[in-house]
Every structure is written in structure tokens, then in C-alpha cells.
Amino acid sequence: MTDYVSDFHGERHRFADLKDVLAKASHRRSGDELARLAAESDAQRVAARSVLADLPLAVLLNEAVVPYETDEVTRLILDSHDTAAFAAVSHLTVGGFRDWLLSYDATPERLAALAPGITPEMAAAVTKLMRNQDLISVGSRCRVVTAFRNTQGLPGHLGSRLQPNHPTDDLRGIGAATIDGLLLGCGDAVIGVNPATDSVANGIALLDMLETLRLRHDIPTQTCVLTHVTNALEIMRRGAPVDLVFQSIAGTEAANAGFGVNLAILREAQDAALSLKRGAVGNNVMYFETGQGAALSANAHHGVDQQTVEARAYAVARAFSPLLVNTVVGFIGPEYLYDGKQIIRAGLEDHFCGKLMGVPMGVDVCYTNHAEADQDDMDSLMTLLTVAGVTFLIAVPGSDDVMLNYQSASFHDILYLRSQFDRPAAPEFEAWLERMDLKDRAGRIKGPRVTRLLTDV
């Protein structure tokens, strides 16, 4: 058994076990404080980081933070671990791993080869030793490319999910919001609707409307109604046009059970979607959402800090080769991420961990109205994530989701990021924008105006 003790500035700090070290080493956040897992002082936090820095990476592989015998996510992580990929860094400590990640040796090619050998606990551990700029630097070199009707994750590109939610699932309202986003160049990652009424019949009606719009204008994107995976299975059985299967996931078996899912159900849904053969340029058919605090809110965190248990969700996602994964980073509320500073840090951590593990990571840059955050904080986070090479961001009309009642990024925010950093949408989608005369001679989006698209709302 490893002895987790640090003598720091004349004070001895003793930690109960690995998950105690990970929790105490975390950057401050309200969720860990709520769970009584956080460091009691800055001195204790630094002492925990000192212990963590000297731990061999192999310890994080050999000492499970959630028991193997009782948790299928732990079994997935350990049983699918790629020892050959891990061999390149197996001799390093967590601190040494950080140094290697920040070195010239950590090229995109080497990071991609390493990804199958990185467990969530390794990824989470090294973030606790990293500053924001470190997370951005390494994240920008992690490349994860996926495809369905277009290609996501290519270097130098920024995808966007067009989220046209409506409080009553009115088809014309959702159609109008979709047109608004398309006219502003959004929607290459997915046109994804959170249904207000989570029923099979409603899901079919939404999918049929989006499919009609997509086919009429030959839009090279994918659509998704973010209904429960069991609904998606029934919708597919009834022959409705399902592109992507969506599901919220978390980092423990118990938390996933709270969502009404397990690994077997996810595999069944993936097989069903693959059998439809609806992809044009690829066959990544799954779409997952995660978020720090999900396991804690379900009392299913097993005493693991929220950032580490969040990284475990990416191991679940990785097993199903998804087209898209995103953390809804500020959505759960200030009980878990109190203010703009904590939301920004968490967004960068989640993006880094997902990409390091080989997951096509996007972010919903968002906050709830009772959090100590505002749109200036979101401007900072979306800008930092774009520099970090985020796969895609979520955008809603006017930054205000009128169905879910939270604040996200807007279609205009995506325009700002693409213009400021020269980050076009997926190549196939960019070609469509030009075909539809939605760009000017300089290649810029013309913006909303009356076009033939509006006749289909």
C-alpha cells in the first residue's frame, strides 16, 4: 500500500488513500466542498499536489478509486487498457508526465498513439498539476478526428452544434431557430434539439421535420433529438430517421444507473444506429453529454472528486467511438461550479482530459442564472477553448436557451471565433455554405436575410 504523506513547510500532511490525494490536490470548486472532499487549506492543497507529483503513473492504474468488483465503469477502464500504448510513459511519475506533455516530444502523432493507454485517473491527476496555459497548450496538440456526414476535429477547424430548443417543441419555432443558425454558418457538428416532451412520438415528429429540411437543401450535417437512449431504440425500430444516438453519461455505474443506462444498453443502441448506414463519410454514430457534478448530484461519486469522476465518463464515451462528446460545463449550477473562475477552469480541464484520452471533445460554454458568472466569463472561456483546439461548441439563439433556461453561446459568438482565429466549419459544410450563397466574396458569412431556406419553416 502506498503511503500518502507529505512534509510541507514543517507540517506533516497525511492522506487516506489515492482518491483523497486526488481530491485534495484539485483546484478549488464548490462541488468538492459540498461533498466535504476538498482541501481544508491552500497548504494542504499544495501538499497533496506534492504527493501526487511523485506518484508513479502505474499507481493510478493499479489502485482503483471505485472498486472493480462493484463498478462496470472501473472494469471497462482496466479491462480495455492498452498496455502497449501506455509503455511509452509507464516509467514516469505524474509530475514527470506533466513535464513530458509540455515538451517538444509530445507531438500530435505521439499524443494520438498514447491516448488508448491513458486512464481517466491519469488524465485527471496530471491536470491537478497544470495551469490553464498548460491545459491549452497540450489540448491544442491533441487531435481526434471523427466523421458521419462531415468530418469533425480536423486541425484548424471549429465545429458548432446548432441547438434550436423550444419550450413547447413547436415545429415552426424550432425550424425558424434552425434557419437562423444555418444562415449564420452554424450546425456542422449537429443540429441537436433537446425535446421539451420526452416521448417517442414527439421525437419522431422532430426528427421528421429536421430530416425534411436537411434533405431538401442537401445539408451535409447530422441531426439529433436528445431523447433517452431507450426512446432512440424505439424510434429506430419504427423506422424514423436517426442519425446520432444521444445519451447523458457519467463516470460510475451508479451514476449511469441514475440516468437509466448501462454499457449494454449503449452497445445495443450503437449497433442499431450502425445498422442504418446513414453516414456519408464516416460511421461514428454516438453523441454523449457529460458534466462535472453529475455523479455527486446523484450521490453516486463514491467519494471521488468531481473532476476525476468526470474524466471517468470519457472512458465510457471512448468505448463507443462517438462522433461528438461535450461537457455542459456550467449547466448543473453553482453548487458544483460556483463562479466564472471555476467554470472556466473546469471547461479547460474537461476539454484537456477528453482529448488526451482520444475523445472528440466539445464544450457547452454555459452558466445558470443563479451562478456568479456572466457572459464576459463565457467570452473568456470560448476564446480559450478555441485556442486549445476544441472540437465544437454549442450555440443557441441569442445565447439564451428559452427551453432549458440557461445561458450558452450564440450563433454570433461562433462567427466571432471563426473570424478571429480563422477556424472554419467542417470542410463539407463550408462547401455547402458556398453552394448556398451564404458567403460573400471574402469568404465571410453574409448573415440572416430572406432566402429560399425560409420558405421551408
Side-chain angles (χ1 to χ4, degrees):
M1 177 66 70
T2 304
D3 191 19
Y4 300 108
V5 178
S6 172
D7 291 308
F8 181 74
H9 283 207
E11 294 183 8
R12 169 155 286 204
H13 297 268
R14 186 178 296 276
F15 305 95
D17 50 24
L18 175 59
K19 64 184 179 182
D20 191 34
V21 175
L22 290 167
K24 298 295 192 295
S26 292
H27 284 66
R28 184 177 180 184
R29 60 208 54 202
S30 52
D32 290 337
E33 292 171 347
L34 178 67
R36 299 183 179 179
L37 301 174
E40 296 175 1
S41 66
D42 288 337
Q44 188 183 46
R45 182 173 290 108
V46 174
R49 290 176 185 171
S50 176
V51 171
L52 190 60
D54 290 336
L55 278 183
L57 284 175
V59 170
L60 294 152
L61 182 62
N62 297 328
E63 188 173 334
V65 296
V66 182
Y68 180 94
E69 298 76 13
T70 59
D71 188 89
E72 69 172 357
V73 176
T74 299
R75 294 194 291 275
L76 172 69
I77 292 166
L78 297 180
D79 294 349
S80 64
H81 182 249
D82 189 328
T83 55
F86 179 58
V89 296
S90 61
H91 62 289
L92 296 175
T93 62
V94 177
F97 185 40
R98 172 190 178 273
D99 292 343
W100 182 83
L101 288 170
L102 293 170
S103 73
Y104 294 131
D105 291 334
T107 63
E109 295 75 19
R110 288 179 176 173
L111 288 167
L114 178 64
I118 299 301
T119 68
E121 290 80 5
M122 293 176 196
V126 77
T127 65
K128 299 174 194 298
L129 307 181
M130 300 174 84
R131 292 167 56 188
N132 286 0
Q133 67 170 261
D134 300 337
L135 300 175
I136 293 167
S137 174
V138 179
S140 69
R141 285 179 273 127
C142 294
R143 310 277 168 75
V144 184
V145 178
T146 58
F148 189 75
R149 285 200 190 90
N150 62 48
T151 310
Q152 293 293 308
L154 291 170
H157 290 260
L158 172 64
S160 64
R161 170 185 160 191
L162 198 170
Q163 183 170 297
N165 295 344
H166 191 279
T168 64
D169 286 337
D170 179 80
L171 295 182
R172 288 180 61 84
I174 291 171
T178 301
I179 295 300
D180 187 28
L182 290 169
L183 292 175
L184 286 164
C186 290
D188 61 314
V190 63
I191 302 173
V193 180
N194 298 90
T197 304
D198 197 21
S199 72
V200 169
N202 188 57
I204 291 173
L206 291 168
L207 284 168
D208 284 343
M209 183 272 289
L210 293 174
E211 178 77 345
T212 298
L213 178 64
R214 185 188 68 80
L215 290 175
R216 184 165 296 172
H217 299 289
D218 194 24
I219 308 171
T221 191
Q222 33 284 331
T223 64
C224 183
V225 172
L226 282 69
T227 189
H228 192 269
V229 64
T230 53
N231 281 352
L233 280 164
E234 180 59 27
I235 288 169
M236 285 187 279
R237 290 188 189 105
R238 297 189 188 185
V242 173
D243 289 342
L244 306 182
V245 172
F246 167 83
Q247 183 55 48
S248 294
I249 57 172
T252 69
E253 180 178 342
N256 284 325
F259 287 134
V261 298
N262 55 40
L263 299 180
I265 291 173
L266 295 177
R267 185 67 67 193
E268 180 185 356
Q270 182 189 35
D271 290 343
L274 286 170
S275 72
L276 300 179
K277 295 180 168 50
R278 291 177 57 82
V281 296
N283 61 356
N284 299 111
V285 296
M286 302 299 283
Y287 175 22
F288 296 116
E289 279 193 344
T290 70
Q292 287 195 29
L296 174 57
S297 68
N299 194 28
H301 60 296
H302 296 275
V304 181
D305 70 275
Q306 68 180 40
Q307 191 249 329
T308 300
V309 79
E310 166 72 6
R312 286 169 56 91
Y314 307 149
V316 176
R318 180 170 62 180
F320 296 93
S321 303
L323 178 75
L324 307 168
V325 179
N326 70 260
T327 169
V328 281
V329 64
F331 180 74
I332 302 181
E335 299 85 358
Y336 307 98
L337 294 169
Y338 179 73
D339 57 14
K341 182 174 183 178
Q342 291 188 14
I343 292 171
I344 289 169
R345 173 71 192 186
L348 294 174
E349 288 172 346
D350 293 351
H351 174 258
F352 167 88
C353 286
K355 293 288 278 296
L356 187 66
M357 293 172 59
V359 172
M361 202 69 199
V363 178
D364 189 354
V365 175
C366 63
Y367 65 100
T368 57
N369 288 314
H370 62 307
E372 289 295 320
D374 58 28
Q375 210 64 38
D376 286 336
D377 296 314
M378 301 306 102
D379 287 349
S380 296
L381 179 53
M382 71 178 72
T383 300
L384 294 172
L385 285 167
T386 302
V387 176
V390 69
T391 300
F392 74 103
L393 298 174
I394 290 178
V396 305
S399 300
D400 185 9
D401 191 302
V402 295
M403 193 279 280
L404 292 173
N405 293 311
Y406 78 115
Q407 308 304 309
S408 185
S410 72
F411 305 143
H412 291 84
D413 291 329
I414 303 300
L415 273 183
Y416 145 69
L417 294 167
R418 288 186 171 152
S419 174
Q420 186 70 27
F421 297 101
D422 190 21
R423 298 288 175 91
E428 300 90 342
F429 194 80
E430 285 287 320
W432 177 80
L433 292 172
E434 293 178 4
R435 257 192 342 264
M436 297 299 291
D437 192 30
L438 295 176
K439 287 187 166 187
D440 64 18
R441 292 182 179 179
R444 301 168 301 192
I445 294 294
K446 294 178 180 179
R449 56 192 174 83
V450 177
T451 72
R452 60 185 180 274
L453 284 173
L454 292 176
T455 64
D456 298 307
V457 179

